[in-house]
Amino acid sequence: MLAYLSVPFPQVEQHLARLPEEGAITLASEDSDGQSLVLIAEYRGGLSHITLIDPETRGASFGFDLLAQQSMTEEVAFLRSMMSHAPFLAWRERENGDVIWANTAYLLRAGDLLPPGQELTWPLPRLFDRTATVQGVDGQRQKLRFPDGSVLWFELVSMPDGDGRRVYALRADSAVQAETNLRDFMQTLTKTFAHLPIALAIFDSRRQLQLFNPALLDLTGLPPDFLSLRPSLLSVLDALRDRNMVPEPKDYRGWRRQITDLERAASTGVYEETWNLPGGQTYRVIGRPHPNGALALMIEDISTEITRTRRYRADLELGQSVIDTMEEAMAVFSETGLLVMTNASYPKLWGHDPAEDLAGGGIASVSRMWRTQTAPSALWSEVEDFVCTVGDREAWSGDARLLDGRLISCKLTPLAGGATLVGFRVHVAAAEEAPASPPDRRSA
């Protein structure tokens, strides 16, 4: 009360504090509009009696309260202003669907939908399907299509109001556009995933399957109806185990522990493993974390790649075993002059195993070793030049004598990719003198 009275009577609190001493006080106030109020306060029997009088209505009938009426008038004006300037559509309708009240936003939209030259009539025209408002479910989406082809989306919120309903329509264009963009993006991702040869399965934070591509069906053999039920990660892995599509552990308890380790490792982004399946296939399984605790599981069939790698390795081992059976010592240098291969006879002839330092076995260091074990000869300089020559070359040979007197024949043969094969054969007649080094036999 003091907060209200202090506006027209700034010193009212100090006056009322002296009321028990003075017994009665009278205050008058005049606001900027020229309207005056009179406050009469009396102290009787320990009680303070306060009367607020408007002189203009002093002779009015009993019960007439101008202040209450003024307050209600101001409140009504405020509420009307609020609804008139509200950015949303609001209206009231009867049970039969007649719109009996609407705010300014509703009237403006109704006017935009009227044919040219036609005015608003009573009852007001309906903008939305009545079924949506009668159902009373919040968040229903409705759209308005205008004569110029533009479309506006709204979310309807309705509630009972006496013999009718109050309905509010909130703009939902941004939400509809965002949902459309998300749907288009998901369709693009789905089409992209559909052509991937890698199986993809995305699980949410609760480890329920949310998205998968057709490659998952092809690689795992899981039925589509099972995956469409959004099974859990453990259910999917159990189904794979039943179809022998996962490495089989010795016991089921170990299998469960392995699945727990898989989920924990994938959630931190460190799970990557190769599964050698009982059927002979080889799968690479990768688990990666996604935002909001989701998990992506990718399965790739690398059987062909593993087979090709094994075959390549077998071919290398076969080639190595073939040249190891030859009595002639052999060394192969790459195009850049690095020693890449020798046979079993090579270390027997030269007394060292180049496999220990293949990374540093260039033609310069290897020929330096050859010089230390043979008589002085220009042959090794010719060998270095031939190995490092780029372009067309022709095979040639030369002789050198070891320090123990044996005569060896050195034959250089160009290989594919710029590589060079250097072969060494010990002559039976070791007493012969070593011939002079041959001239440069490389082609121009």
Side-chain angles (χ1 to χ4, degrees):
M1 184 190 66
L2 290 176
Y4 175 77
L5 295 177
S6 61
V7 177
F9 308 99
Q11 303 297 325
V12 66
E13 187 172 357
Q14 291 80 353
H15 287 288
L16 292 178
R18 298 193 303 270
L19 182 60
E21 301 174 0
E22 299 181 2
I25 60 173
T26 301
L27 301 176
S29 174
E30 183 175 340
D31 57 17
S32 58
D33 297 334
Q35 296 179 352
S36 62
L37 294 175
V38 176
L39 184 146
I40 301 175
E42 296 177 337
Y43 189 78
R44 295 177 299 184
L47 299 178
S48 298
H49 298 259
I50 300 175
T51 305
L52 194 63
I53 302 174
D54 185 354
E56 297 182 0
T57 61
R58 192 174 184 89
S61 61
F62 178 78
F64 182 79
D65 192 343
L66 180 63
L67 295 177
Q69 182 184 13
Q70 180 180 355
S71 177
M72 290 186 292
T73 303
E74 292 175 354
E75 183 179 4
V76 170
F78 171 75
L79 293 178
R80 286 178 177 173
S81 176
M82 287 288 293
M83 292 303 298
S84 177
H85 296 87
F88 54 85
L89 281 62
W91 69 97
R92 188 176 185 274
E93 60 184 47
R94 292 196 178 100
E95 288 293 339
N96 61 359
D98 292 342
V99 178
I100 59 175
W101 178 89
N103 68 342
T104 304
Y106 185 98
L107 297 177
L108 291 176
R109 295 303 178 190
D112 295 337
L113 293 173
L114 289 176
Q118 185 175 346
E119 299 294 339
L120 292 174
T121 59
W122 187 265
L124 297 173
R126 296 194 58 84
L127 298 184
F128 300 98
D129 183 13
R130 184 168 180 265
T131 304
T133 60
V134 171
Q135 290 175 351
V137 180
D138 292 345
Q140 295 187 73
R141 293 280 174 81
Q142 295 285 322
K143 65 180 178 180
L144 294 180
R145 188 178 300 275
F146 295 91
D148 59 356
S150 60
V151 175
L152 294 181
W153 284 90
F154 295 87
E155 281 191 1
L156 303 187
V157 179
S158 63
M159 58 195 67
D161 184 16
D163 60 346
R165 306 190 67 85
R166 283 179 287 124
V167 190
Y168 305 92
L170 310 178
R171 288 287 295 272
D173 301 280
S174 300
V176 172
Q177 184 63 37
E179 293 173 0
T180 302
N181 294 339
L182 179 60
R183 183 168 56 253
D184 294 342
F185 178 69
M186 292 298 296
Q187 290 177 354
T188 303
L189 286 182
T190 302
K191 293 178 181 178
T192 303
F193 293 156
H195 295 86
L196 285 178
I198 301 176
L200 177 66
I202 297 180
F203 300 85
D204 59 15
S205 58
R206 298 176 299 171
R207 297 299 178 261
Q208 300 294 129
L209 182 64
Q210 297 295 326
L211 179 66
F212 64 92
N213 64 341
L216 184 66
L217 306 175
D218 300 334
L219 293 183
T220 63
L222 296 175
D225 54 349
F226 168 73
L227 297 177
S228 62
L229 296 177
R230 296 186 176 183
S232 64
L233 174 62
L234 293 179
S235 299
V236 171
L237 295 176
D238 281 337
L240 291 177
R241 181 174 181 267
D242 295 338
R243 288 169 173 77
N244 293 326
M245 299 304 296
V246 294
E248 186 67 30
K250 296 181 179 180
D251 60 304
Y252 190 76
R253 182 178 300 177
W255 158 250
R256 280 295 185 179
R257 185 169 53 253
Q258 178 182 351
I259 296 306
T260 303
D261 295 341
L262 181 153
E263 181 178 355
R264 184 184 302 112
S267 61
T268 58
V270 296
Y271 182 81
E272 183 170 348
E273 189 174 324
T274 300
W275 287 0
N276 296 310
L277 306 183
Q281 304 101 319
T282 303
Y283 285 175
R284 179 187 291 122
V285 182
I286 301 174
R288 288 291 182 267
H290 272 225
N292 300 323
L295 171 66
L297 197 65
M298 292 170 282
I299 303 176
E300 181 181 5
D301 187 358
I302 58 173
S303 304
T304 304
E305 178 183 345
I306 295 297
T307 302
R308 187 182 300 113
T309 302
R310 291 172 179 171
R311 186 177 303 165
Y312 176 72
R313 186 177 303 158
D315 292 343
L316 288 179
E317 293 176 355
L318 177 61
Q320 183 69 46
S321 62
V322 169
I323 66 173
D324 283 344
T325 60
M326 303 181 67
E327 296 181 357
E328 182 180 3
M330 295 182 179
V332 179
F333 294 87
S334 67
E335 183 181 9
T336 59
L338 293 178
L339 181 62
V340 295
M341 181 184 296
T342 60
N343 67 343
S345 300
Y346 180 87
K348 295 178 181 179
L349 175 64
W350 295 105
H352 87 290
D353 187 5
E356 298 178 356
D357 58 348
L358 282 179
I363 183 60
S365 61
V366 175
S367 64
R368 191 180 307 114
M369 183 273 299
W370 292 338
R371 286 188 177 94
T372 61
Q373 300 190 36
T374 59
S377 173
L379 174 66
W380 306 122
S381 298
E382 294 290 336
V383 171
E384 289 184 27
D385 293 341
F386 185 82
V387 171
C388 296
T389 298
V390 178
D392 295 335
R393 300 174 297 172
E394 295 181 358
W396 62 279
S397 61
D399 295 336
R401 188 172 296 277
L402 297 174
L403 295 180
D404 59 5
R406 291 180 298 170
L407 184 66
I408 59 174
S409 176
C410 177
K411 182 178 181 180
L412 287 86
T413 304
L415 301 178
T420 304
L421 171 64
V422 182
F424 303 95
R425 181 180 296 275
V426 180
H427 286 267
V428 177
E432 296 180 2
E433 296 293 334
S437 300
D440 188 4
R441 294 171 172 81
R442 291 168 292 179
S443 61

